[in-house]
Amino acid sequence: NAGVMQNPRHLVRRRGQEARLRCSPMKGHSHVYWYRQLPEEGLKFMVYLQKENIIDESGMPKERFSAEFPKEGPSILRIQQVVRGDSAAYFCASSHEYQETQYFGPGTRLLVL
Amino acid sequence: AQTVTQSQPEMSVQEAETVTLSCTYDTSESDYYLFWYKQPPSRQMILVIRQEAYKQQNATENRFSVNFQKAAKSFSLKISDSQLGDAAMYFCASNTASNTGKLIFGQGTTLQVKP
């Protein structure tokens, strides 16, 4: 049973470009969470999605950030017009039910030049 | 609001010895879960142990065990027979039924294991 997959593992973007981060949950998991980890800090919740629905986006910045989890395919975290402050590790986690254990992917390290 | 606090930024332990990492939390909920995650230098987040708040028995996983003090809202992690591979950042986290299940993390504790 494959774990949570994230790609790319590393992403370099110049200021103003778009970043697309992908997450495939574990088989059988329909709940996806995105977290951001700034350097030397803990993880901060961004958004919680189920198939075709955003359940909780209370941690998402109001502008430039969006997320989706379509019926088919991976969940996507999209950052438009990236700025240097977006440089961080972005982790995706999935669970079978909403309050069950979340299993994390390896993360995507985004570097904005 | 739900909060998780780890007051030890760094800890060190001699190989084969025992170390305890502290965590306190605050929630008004009665139904919640507590977790310890390990983040080694690879930065992968690895689940170490999980505790359901309604269970009085402390969770254990091989060399890892917790001391769950519900009234004090304390959730410490004990690592026995420490190994070099235990060196990592350790995060305490919690989630609640009414909070959509999102995890609230502490600031983390860096554990150094000395040979």
Side-chain angles (χ1 to χ4, degrees):
Chain A
N1 190 7
V4 179
M5 309 291 286
Q6 286 188 253
N7 65 80
R9 295 291 303 276
H10 300 273
L11 183 61
V12 179
R13 286 288 178 265
R14 297 193 179 278
R15 281 177 294 172
Q17 292 184 319
E18 178 180 288
R20 278 182 180 245
L21 288 62
R22 287 176 290 277
C23 168
S24 296
M26 287 179 69
K27 187 176 180 181
H29 286 191
S30 58
H31 300 255
V32 167
Y33 299 80
W34 286 92
Y35 297 86
R36 178 166 66 174
Q37 185 177 32
L38 295 171
E40 308 303 323
E41 293 188 10
L43 279 73
K44 296 288 194 294
F45 167 77
M46 298 182 74
V47 62
Y48 162 42
L49 311 102
Q50 294 179 26
K51 286 286 187 180
E52 299 184 281
N53 286 303
I54 297 174
I55 307 302
D56 181 356
E57 56 182 349
S58 59
M60 286 277 271
K62 299 300 181 192
E63 298 179 349
R64 303 189 296 108
F65 285 72
S66 62
E68 63 177 6
F69 189 15
K71 186 177 180 180
E72 301 291 337
S75 175
I76 306 288
L77 179 67
R78 182 184 179 203
I79 311 172
Q80 295 179 290
Q81 299 176 333
V82 296
V83 301
R84 285 189 175 156
D86 296 333
S87 295
Y90 292 83
F91 289 92
C92 166
S94 73
S95 67
H96 183 62
E97 292 294 339
Y98 81 99
Q99 203 180 358
E100 290 194 358
T101 299
Q102 294 177 30
Y103 295 92
F104 283 78
T108 294
R109 276 75 180 170
L110 173 65
L111 175 63
V112 180
L113 301 177
Chain B
Q2 188 182 356
T3 61
V4 177
T5 302
Q6 294 178 251
S7 58
Q8 304 157 316
E10 296 180 356
M11 292 282 285
S12 66
V13 62
Q14 208 69 35
E15 194 176 5
E17 297 291 309
T18 295
V19 65
T20 298
L21 308 183
S22 301
C23 173
T24 58
Y25 62 93
D26 191 17
T27 179
S28 57
E29 305 283 337
S30 58
D31 182 14
Y32 56 91
Y33 293 76
L34 297 164
F35 305 85
W36 278 98
Y37 283 89
K38 169 185 177 182
Q39 188 177 44
S42 68
R43 304 200 68 186
Q44 169 82 51
M45 292 291 288
I46 301 167
L47 176 70
V48 175
I49 202 163
R50 157 185 148 136
Q51 174 81 44
E52 292 91 340
Y54 63 86
K55 288 187 176 179
Q56 292 185 343
Q57 186 174 6
N58 289 325
T60 63
E61 286 288 341
N62 301 313
R63 298 183 294 108
F64 299 87
S65 61
V66 299
N67 183 5
F68 175 43
Q69 300 291 325
K70 192 170 184 177
K73 295 182 178 177
S74 170
F75 182 61
S76 60
L77 175 70
K78 186 171 85 170
I79 306 174
S80 304
D81 185 26
S82 296
Q83 301 175 0
L84 295 177
D86 295 334
M89 177 83 88
Y90 286 81
F91 290 98
C92 178
S94 73
N95 65 6
T96 67
S98 66
N99 208 17
T100 69
K102 65 190 177 194
L103 288 168
I104 306 299
F105 284 88
Q107 305 92 319
T109 297
T110 299
L111 177 65
Q112 181 185 25
V113 180
K114 298 178 180 178

